[in-house]
Amino acid sequence: NAGVTQTPKFQVLKTGQSMTLQCAQDMNHNSMYWYRQDPGMGLRLIYYSASEGTTDKGEVPNGYNVSRLNKREFSLRLESAAPSQTSVYFCASSPQGYGYGYTFGSGTRLTVV
Amino acid sequence: GQQLNQSPQSMFIQEGEDVSMNCTSSSIFNTWLWYKQDPGEGPVLLIALYKAGELTSNGRLTAQFGITRKDSFLNISASIPSDVGIYFCAGLDGGSQGNLIFGKGTKLSVKP
């Protein structure tokens, strides 16, 4: 009954450090997404993967890279963290890209100092 | 990019009161969804609407897909303390590679 699992739940980084946020879903969904949530800004799409083997930029992709490792896993990498990347990051998945509700993970709270 | 205007930004209400919030767009949407986010958690889907004029209920929650296809409304009747959270509308306009576009959320606080 896991749904979408994100790790870690909390992370503190120093400016310039790198890290990878992990996301895995067990619902056999085709599409996966990475969002960031900032106060007053709602949810902004960073990258998405419509299906295994494809990735595309969303609204705010700068400073991030992604890998769709297989159908289950979609990781988000910060190569050189900046304070502006302090945020709550959510991974989501859906059966397909059109018109279906997304299932979200519980989030990763990242602070860059 | 495409934006959804969600209002109000926040609400402080007394337990037992009814709540209304809405979402508008400058362009036509094909699908409207409403999510709730509890503190410290990810958003959870409440209601999905797929047809203009559609009215759908989920317990004390009722949502409507506007006739113009440019808006949607969510009503919560007889609010209770566990209704606290952030409510997001999300829409699909058919032109964003099938990706949902989210409003900025309505933060609901309920006084017992």
Side-chain angles (χ1 to χ4, degrees):
Chain A
N1 216 24
V4 178
T5 302
Q6 290 183 238
T7 56
K9 289 191 181 301
F10 300 93
Q11 184 72 48
V12 178
L13 288 179
K14 293 183 179 178
T15 298
Q17 284 186 320
S18 62
M19 79 160 294
T20 300
L21 281 64
Q22 307 287 353
C23 175
Q25 51 94 5
D26 61 2
M27 298 170 286
N28 202 35
H29 285 174
N30 288 320
S31 302
M32 298 186 73
Y33 310 83
W34 276 105
Y35 285 87
R36 61 177 288 172
Q37 183 178 26
D38 303 292
M41 300 296 289
L43 292 159
R44 292 184 292 170
L45 183 64
I46 305 171
Y47 270 93
Y48 66 99
S49 170
S51 60
E52 186 180 355
T54 69
T55 61
D56 285 287
K57 295 178 180 179
E59 181 185 355
V60 288
N62 292 345
Y64 305 96
N65 284 301
V66 291
S67 296
R68 183 76 182 265
L69 304 170
N70 47 55
K71 192 171 186 180
R72 288 187 64 247
E73 298 171 286
F74 188 38
S75 63
L76 178 72
R77 182 159 178 83
L78 287 69
E79 291 291 352
S80 179
S84 61
Q85 294 178 304
T86 293
S87 188
V88 182
Y89 291 86
F90 288 101
C91 177
S93 70
S94 70
Q96 61 191 69
Y98 286 87
Y100 289 85
Y102 297 178
T103 300
F104 284 85
S106 58
T108 295
R109 282 148 186 79
L110 176 67
T111 302
V112 183
V113 297
Chain B
Q2 183 61 270
Q3 287 190 345
L4 293 181
N5 298 310
Q6 188 171 350
S7 65
Q9 273 190 306
S10 62
M11 303 180 74
F12 295 86
I13 62 168
Q14 201 74 38
E15 182 177 357
E17 288 183 354
D18 295 343
V19 173
S20 290
M21 59 189 77
N22 70 81
C23 222
T24 61
S25 167
S26 58
S27 61
I28 289 172
F29 275 64
N30 299 321
T31 299
W32 286 97
L33 305 169
W34 285 92
Y35 285 84
K36 183 196 177 195
Q37 183 180 27
D38 289 327
E41 297 295 328
V44 174
L45 182 65
L46 296 173
I47 293 178
L49 303 158
Y50 297 108
K51 205 167 21 172
E54 182 179 355
L55 187 73
T56 298
S57 294
N58 178 4
R60 293 179 295 105
L61 277 61
T62 301
Q64 184 163 23
F65 192 142
I67 289 290
T68 65
R69 295 168 65 192
K70 293 183 178 181
D71 56 11
S72 180
F73 304 87
L74 176 69
N75 295 316
I76 305 172
S77 62
S79 58
I80 59 179
S82 62
D83 290 335
V84 162
I86 302 176
Y87 292 80
F88 290 100
C89 62
L92 188 64
D93 65 0
S96 52
Q97 293 85 47
N99 297 326
L100 289 176
I101 298 161
F102 284 86
K104 294 185 178 179
T106 295
K107 187 174 182 179
L108 180 63
S109 301
V110 179
K111 290 178 281 188

